[in-house]
Amino acid sequence: MTPKLRMSYAVSTLIVSSVTTFLLPLDYTVASVALRDIHRDFSVSFSDQQWVINGYTMAFAALLMAGGGLADLFGRRKIFLSGLAIFTVASLLAGLAPAMLWLNVGRAAQGIGAAGMFSSSLALLVQEFTGPRRIHAFAVFGVASGLGASLGPFIGGLAVDLGGWRWAFLLNAPFGIAMLILGLLRTRESKDPHATRLDLKGLVLFSGAVLLAVYSIVMAPQIGWTSRTIIATLAAAAVLAIAFVFVELRQTYPLIDLRLFTQRTFLGASLAPLVLSVAFWGLFLYTPLYFQGVLGYSPLQAGMAMLPFAIPLFGAGPLGRVPGSDHAGRRLRIQITAPRRWSPAR
């Protein structure tokens, strides 16, 4: 008998991580081309429409760190697959929503699931890949994320033109189910052996600070940056952020070891994606709205107008594989793991 061919755990983990990472930014940008058609069905105000995007963003941002802490404690695979299951069911809820309220609930639930998926996916890759193969895997992972953002308006526009706005969310379901099955069958569990408990104080403080900060940024254009509500929420976010720093410096097992930011290699590796996100994500969210609302493009035309931004991303991953990158990657990994041996401040 011919032996059955089985996909390796490393390859299947890369596929699951990359496809789901493609879906997360896709689901963020795909909504931008569907808003006009959503307004036609539900006849809600523009501020209500914005929560289709903001609900997803706020839930994702506030719970991302929580997902990482839970993954270290209970298992990265468990949190990843749980997040994927929530994301898939929430996509169905959003696509089948009978009213605006249920659409917003579905979008917020998508953000919760996305936080669990994204916070665990890289850790799953780290377990399966080492050396130069890890760098190649990270390149594929990064390109998948960028393409999800840049192709989101086009895929969303195509879905809206062919089947209506609901398909902009329903298209996640078959991919989510397929990746959930593959993840259950061909991915392996991993935990942080140093994780003994969840840093609840840090989790509450960080999530609260991020939630209030994002809420302030979202609402300020509507009610004004000088309004009492915005000033109060920004001040509360600042207080929670400062309290988070003090609490984390005294934790035996902190949610994030803040001493990492004293290392230039880690700081540089963190600043690069931060700057990229600030300059990158807003472009793919609001430019399709401008194309539709001001220039009168159809959803498909708006999506096609965004396609040129995707072209550089196809070559960005391979270009990241440069001489000396293996040594830099090893040095970064050593520096990241070193703080685990430090004694916390008392």
Side-chain angles (χ1 to χ4, degrees):
M1 295 180 63
T2 303
K4 294 183 178 179
L5 296 177
R6 299 189 70 184
M7 186 182 300
S8 70
Y9 283 107
V11 172
S12 58
T13 301
L14 180 59
I15 292 173
V16 171
S17 298
S18 298
V19 171
T20 53
T21 299
F22 176 84
L23 292 178
L24 299 189
L26 171 75
D27 215 61
Y28 175 73
T29 56
V30 76
S32 63
V33 297
L35 286 181
R36 189 170 63 176
D37 288 62
I38 292 173
H39 174 69
R40 290 173 183 170
D41 274 11
F42 292 139
S43 298
V44 293
S45 65
F46 179 72
S47 60
D48 290 335
Q49 290 181 67
Q50 283 189 308
W51 286 105
V52 175
I53 297 171
N54 297 336
Y56 179 88
T57 305
M58 291 177 64
F60 177 75
L63 297 176
L64 185 60
M65 195 71 74
L70 291 172
D72 285 345
L73 184 60
F74 297 108
R76 283 86 180 241
R77 180 176 179 269
K78 288 186 180 69
I79 298 302
F80 177 85
L81 294 178
S82 298
L84 178 54
I86 294 172
F87 181 83
T88 303
V89 173
S91 297
L92 291 171
L93 175 60
L96 300 174
M100 194 69 188
L101 173 62
W102 289 107
L103 174 57
N104 288 333
V105 169
R107 289 290 287 167
Q110 280 184 309
I112 295 172
M117 292 160 58
F118 190 74
S119 61
S120 309
S121 52
L122 269 178
L124 292 176
L125 286 180
V126 168
Q127 174 183 254
E128 299 295 341
F129 293 91
T130 58
R133 295 177 69 241
R134 180 179 294 178
I135 296 174
H136 290 306
F138 280 10
V140 173
F141 182 88
V143 170
S145 178
L147 288 178
S150 56
L151 294 179
F154 171 71
I155 295 174
L158 186 63
V160 171
D161 266 23
L162 294 179
W165 66 265
R166 295 181 183 277
W167 282 101
F169 306 111
L170 291 174
L171 58 83
N172 292 320
F175 293 100
I177 293 172
M179 292 302 101
L180 187 60
I181 293 173
L182 180 59
L184 286 169
L185 295 176
R186 300 300 297 169
T187 58
R188 291 186 283 201
E189 187 61 278
S190 69
K191 295 181 181 180
D192 186 339
H194 301 282
T196 56
R197 62 182 180 85
L198 185 62
D199 178 14
L200 289 177
K201 291 181 180 179
L203 177 59
V204 172
L205 291 171
F206 179 84
S207 298
V210 171
L211 189 62
L212 289 173
V214 173
Y215 175 83
S216 301
I217 294 171
V218 166
M219 296 301 297
Q222 300 178 40
I223 63 178
W225 285 97
T226 58
S227 71
R228 292 182 178 179
T229 300
I230 298 301
I231 293 174
T233 52
L234 284 175
V239 170
L240 291 178
I242 293 171
F244 172 75
V245 172
F246 281 101
V247 167
E248 293 304 280
L249 290 175
R250 300 183 64 85
Q251 288 287 348
T252 303
Y253 188 82
L255 198 63
I256 178 172
D257 196 327
L258 299 177
R259 297 177 182 85
L260 289 171
F261 292 99
T262 64
Q263 302 171 18
R264 289 181 297 175
T265 306
F266 181 83
L267 186 61
S270 301
L271 287 177
L274 174 64
V275 173
L276 177 63
S277 297
V278 171
F280 190 74
W281 294 105
L283 176 71
F284 288 99
L285 179 60
Y286 292 105
T287 305
L289 294 176
Y290 173 79
F291 286 151
Q292 291 181 272
V294 178
L295 301 183
Y297 286 11
S298 69
L300 181 57
Q301 289 173 329
M304 292 182 67
M306 299 297 296
L307 278 180
F309 293 99
I311 296 175
L313 294 172
F314 284 100
L319 289 177
R321 179 68 172 86
V322 296
S325 59
D326 293 350
H327 173 71
R330 286 194 298 269
R331 183 175 61 184
L332 177 58
R333 289 194 297 274
I334 291 171
Q335 291 189 3
I336 287 176
T337 55
R340 291 296 185 196
R341 297 191 295 270
W342 295 356
S343 298
R346 295 294 181 186

